[in-house]
Amino acid sequence: MREQAPPALIEAKKVACRRWPWASEAIMFEMASIKRPGMGTMAVDQYWRMYYDPQFLVDKTPEEIASVIQHELCHLVFKHPKR
């Protein structure tokens, strides 16, 4: 069972979906959110898992976090993990 993402991350995913409606299914359903305290940022792996540090989210607006989510999605869409 997946862990529930924090409210700030859920809201940011909604913002990202409104910005990029063509990618909303990927953002909401394919990018599983996994908590990684201490990493200091957000990242993805080749299996479409999105890792986040809860502390990284604290001082960010949903719009700022949404931009990071979109950035991470680009890594996946452009297949950066395979490079």
Side-chain angles (χ1 to χ4, degrees), residues 34-51:
I34 300 172
K35 182 170 40 173
R36 285 288 185 264
M39 73 182 277
T41 190
M42 294 173 68
V44 291
D45 67 15
Q46 65 186 7
Y47 303 107
W48 288 66
R49 293 178 291 216
M50 183 175 64
Y51 301 96

Side-chain angles (χ1 to χ4, degrees), residues 16-37:
C17 288
R18 283 193 297 273
R19 288 180 184 170
W20 288 0
W22 54 268
S24 60
E25 287 186 34
I27 292 167
M28 293 304 285
F29 304 115
E30 298 300 324
M31 296 175 74
S33 303
I34 300 172
K35 182 170 40 173
R36 285 288 185 264

Side-chain angles (χ1 to χ4, degrees), residues 55-72:
Q55 193 61 38
F56 177 77
L57 306 177
V58 170
D59 61 346
K60 309 276 186 297
T61 66
E63 290 76 18
E64 291 171 321
I65 300 167
S67 295
V68 178
I69 292 169
Q70 290 172 286
H71 172 87
E72 296 303 332

